[in-house]
Amino acid sequence: MRTVVPVSGSDPKTRLSPVLGPDERRAFTEAMLADVLDALDGAGHSPDVVSTGPVECDAPVTVDDRGLDALVNDLLAEGPLAVVMADLPLLTADAVERLFAPAADVVLAPGLGGGTNAFVCRHPEFRVDYHGASIRDHRRIADDVGASLAEVDSRVLATDIDEPADLAEVLLHGDGRAADWLTDAGFELSFDDGRVGVARE
Amino acid sequence: MRTVVPVSGSDPKTRLSPVLGPDERRAFTEAMLADVLDALDGAGHSPDVVSTGPVECDAPVTVDDRGLDALVNDLLAEGPLAVVMADLPLLTADAVERLFAPAADVVLAPGLGGGTNAFVCRHPEFRVDYHGASIRDHRRIADDVGASLAEVDSRVLATDIDEPADLAEVLLHGDGRAADWLTDAGFELSFDDGRVGVARE
């Protein structure tokens, strides 16, 4: 099955701006992408990367600056498709295998906060709408087109990294390139009022 | 295996005070507990509840007002033990089965933010320390005592409900008593700046 990893290659991860400069955000984005590609490779998949701008990675890259919905829906019209977001640095080969395992027409991996961090689609009429709480829209769209639906219950598929607070999850659990990048950049876990966060040296 | 669900029965879920009054926090705590007990029951387990004060639920309750570490470590000294926290209203029987499935001495279910939301222990020397980022301490303690370790990758086991922002996950995914309770109390999803939250009528 065709497997695509969309990534923002232009001005990535702007919500990390409070703690990372533009060049750092790009380097960290590439580190997270490398972790995602490693996990997919470990599960036997050979993904293509589709980026809004040039990006360094160990996979074929197509530059396409359309919005995510238009891009993914064009690919869905061409046949079975898996899409895995690029900001899932905790992803493991096991979790990828669990994403592809259900025999359902559509398999969704919910993100924290209502996003859809990955899906597998084997139904000709399913389409995506990534705005708002997309997991609810995707459940509805699958139902509307009569597609059987499964959801994969995975913390590592649910943990997309968008904001400074999310970096704690990478330091708590990651052993890949994104975690190494953060450590090399001087980030470490901090504890304030019983809650975990990150601090930079 | 003995399975215990610890719950705060005195002044539960104080971090939800900005949106719920004391009686509401108690009622919501009991709704979440009911969801956890349903999931455990659905997976064939018969848990005991240990509460710091009286609590209404469909399981045997022991009142014990010691801290969590002392309580759980005494139980660990008595033999194999599973502990599942009471604030996991998204929990499913499938996730419970995945928690009990690994043949490891110690199986940990990480919570978001570094907590340990559930564990299964079959090793006589493993002990808990719930302070700080307990998942890291529990990995270390398992290693120190020579216990084999597994971790279960589950979003629903990772999603403990502590703060107002966490309530969105219940409304996005829950179909149990906690989700019903929130809906009946007038909570609904809200969208602000592309991020999901909750609002109350």
Side-chain angles (χ1 to χ4, degrees):
Chain A
M1 185 180 306
R2 182 165 187 190
T3 300
V4 168
V5 179
V7 64
S8 172
S10 32
D11 183 28
K13 292 290 157 197
T14 51
R15 282 154 66 189
L16 290 174
S17 299
V19 296
L20 294 177
D23 290 349
E24 290 179 323
R25 285 187 277 118
R26 166 173 295 278
F28 182 60
T29 293
E30 290 179 348
M32 292 197 289
L33 174 61
D35 287 335
V36 169
L37 296 175
D38 277 352
L40 286 165
D41 181 65
H45 299 275
S46 300
D48 296 323
V49 171
V50 182
S51 175
T52 56
V55 68
E56 288 284 324
C57 69
D58 192 20
V61 177
T62 303
V63 174
D64 188 325
D65 63 1
R66 288 178 295 169
L68 193 57
D69 285 355
L71 170 72
V72 172
N73 284 331
D74 269 9
L75 293 170
L76 280 166
E78 293 173 10
L81 178 71
V83 170
V84 179
M85 294 302 168
D87 58 354
L88 307 173
L90 305 183
L91 193 61
T92 62
D94 281 352
V96 172
E97 287 173 5
R98 292 179 50 225
L99 172 69
F100 282 82
D105 294 330
V106 174
V107 184
L108 301 174
L112 298 168
T116 306
N117 286 353
F119 72 81
V120 168
C121 176
R122 306 176 179 93
H123 191 284
E125 294 174 74
F126 178 76
R127 295 295 181 271
V128 295
D129 177 354
Y130 280 107
H131 300 96
S134 66
I135 193 71
R136 297 199 305 175
D137 294 319
H138 292 152
R139 288 171 183 150
R140 177 185 51 74
I141 294 166
D143 188 58
D144 286 349
V145 301
S148 62
L149 179 66
E151 294 193 21
V152 57
D153 171 28
S154 165
R155 179 179 58 84
V156 302
L157 275 164
T159 307
D160 48 329
I161 305 300
D162 287 316
E163 306 191 1
D166 300 332
L167 299 178
E169 298 298 324
V170 185
L171 291 174
L172 280 163
H173 301 291
D175 57 1
R177 301 193 212 183
D180 287 349
W181 189 93
L182 287 176
T183 302
D184 290 347
F187 285 90
E188 57 188 13
L189 290 173
S190 68
F191 299 93
D192 183 19
D193 194 23
R195 309 196 54 203
V196 70
V198 296
R200 196 169 187 178
E201 283 168 5
Chain B
M1 184 181 306
R2 182 165 186 188
T3 301
V4 168
V5 179
V7 64
S8 173
S10 32
D11 183 28
K13 291 291 157 195
T14 52
R15 282 155 66 190
L16 291 175
S17 299
V19 295
L20 294 178
D23 291 349
E24 290 179 323
R25 285 187 278 117
R26 165 174 295 277
F28 182 60
T29 294
E30 290 178 348
M32 291 197 290
L33 174 61
D35 287 335
V36 169
L37 295 175
D38 278 353
L40 287 164
D41 181 64
H45 298 277
S46 301
D48 296 323
V49 170
V50 182
S51 175
T52 57
V55 68
E56 289 284 324
C57 68
D58 191 20
V61 178
T62 303
V63 173
D64 188 324
D65 63 1
R66 289 179 295 172
L68 193 57
D69 285 356
L71 170 72
V72 171
N73 284 332
D74 270 10
L75 293 170
L76 279 166
E78 293 173 12
L81 179 70
V83 170
V84 179
M85 293 304 169
D87 58 354
L88 307 173
L90 306 183
L91 191 63
T92 62
D94 280 353
V96 172
E97 287 174 5
R98 291 178 52 225
L99 172 69
F100 282 81
D105 294 331
V106 174
V107 184
L108 301 175
L112 299 169
T116 307
N117 286 354
F119 72 82
V120 168
C121 176
R122 307 176 179 92
H123 191 283
E125 294 174 74
F126 178 76
R127 295 295 181 272
V128 294
D129 178 354
Y130 280 107
H131 300 96
S134 67
I135 193 71
R136 297 199 305 175
D137 294 318
H138 292 152
R139 288 171 183 152
R140 178 186 50 75
I141 294 166
D143 188 60
D144 287 349
V145 301
S148 62
L149 179 66
E151 294 194 19
V152 57
D153 170 28
S154 164
R155 179 180 57 84
V156 300
L157 275 164
T159 307
D160 48 330
I161 305 300
D162 287 317
E163 307 190 2
D166 300 332
L167 299 178
E169 297 298 324
V170 185
L171 291 175
L172 280 163
H173 301 292
D175 56 1
R177 301 193 212 183
D180 288 347
W181 190 92
L182 287 176
T183 302
D184 290 345
F187 285 90
E188 57 188 14
L189 291 172
S190 69
F191 298 91
D192 184 19
D193 195 22
R195 307 196 55 203
V196 69
V198 296
R200 195 169 187 178
E201 285 170 2

